[in-house]
Amino acid sequence: MIALLIRDLRLAFRAGGGFGLGLAFFLLVAVLVPLGVGPEGATLAKIAPGILWVGALLACLLSLDRIFALDFEDGSLDLLATSPIPLEGVVAIKALAHWLVTGLPLTLAAPVLGVLLNLPGPGYLWLVVSLAAGTPALSVIGAFGAALTVGIKRGGLLLSLLVLPLYVPTLIFGAEVVKRGAAGADVSVPLLLLAGITAGALALLPFAAAAAIRVNLR
């Protein structure tokens, strides 16, 4: 399992698996939004939580099609499916690798980009907390979507259409945590709901993704 994780991390860094691409996209969103809506600090502060979460979500989406596609193309996925490692574990490891390459860097970079959007001071901590709690769900849901579309030529658009509706609850509660935190309000309810979504995704979706992969490999 550890060897598989290291392999996927190496492939991600060597083959442009989303590390630099996701961060670059996140940076572009943070830079372009002030240019589009204007430099007014009050306006930017109001929309910053939503914009930062939307940027993180779309940045995670960019590299989802690579989670299983490369392994399917070179036959490695067939070997993994017949290996002693449970296929559910393979899905979990690949989702973890995607999060380490995409979700974790976005979480760490978010406070810096929050400055560009004039995020209120109290919101920075909750921005990091919400992304740390919510981005694992984005990776696991994305792995499930990638499993459904593995083997489909040019399935990236279909993958986006499948995954985006599933991302909506995470987006809503993640942005709400930052919004309430920036305003000094209680964040416990949206934060618990966000954590619940992540816990549910981690518990259920690796099994659903493994079942989808087995069907697609028949």
Side-chain angles (χ1 to χ4, degrees), residues 28-187:
L28 284 175
V29 170
V31 170
L32 292 178
V33 167
L35 296 178
V37 303
E40 293 81 4
T43 302
L44 291 176
K46 185 176 181 179
I47 66 174
I51 294 299
L52 289 168
W53 253 96
V54 168
L57 185 152
L58 295 177
C60 286
L61 191 66
L62 290 177
S63 57
L64 290 182
D65 59 338
R66 303 177 65 90
I67 293 180
F68 297 112
L70 296 179
D71 290 326
F72 180 81
E73 292 171 0
D74 64 12
S76 299
L77 192 57
D78 296 277
L79 296 177
L80 290 171
T82 57
S83 69
I85 304 175
L87 194 53
E88 293 81 4
V90 172
V91 172
I93 288 296
K94 286 189 168 291
L96 174 60
H98 180 269
W99 181 77
L100 290 174
V101 170
T102 305
L104 181 59
L106 293 176
T107 300
L108 298 177
V112 178
L113 302 184
V115 175
L116 299 177
L117 294 174
N118 200 35
L119 181 69
Y124 286 92
L125 172 62
W126 296 112
L127 174 63
V128 174
V129 170
S130 67
L131 287 173
T135 50
L138 301 183
S139 293
V140 177
I141 294 171
F144 171 63
L148 290 175
T149 58
V150 67
I152 299 177
K153 292 183 178 179
R154 298 179 181 178
L157 179 59
L158 178 60
L159 173 59
S160 300
L161 293 175
L162 289 172
V163 167
L164 278 175
L166 301 177
Y167 275 176
V168 170
T170 303
L171 171 65
I172 291 173
F173 295 124
E176 186 65 18
V177 169
V178 185
K179 180 180 177 181
R180 291 193 182 189
D186 180 36
V187 302

Side-chain angles (χ1 to χ4, degrees), residues 183-202:
D186 180 36
V187 302
S188 58
V189 173
L191 185 59
L192 286 175
L193 290 171
L194 181 64
I197 292 172
T198 298
L202 292 173

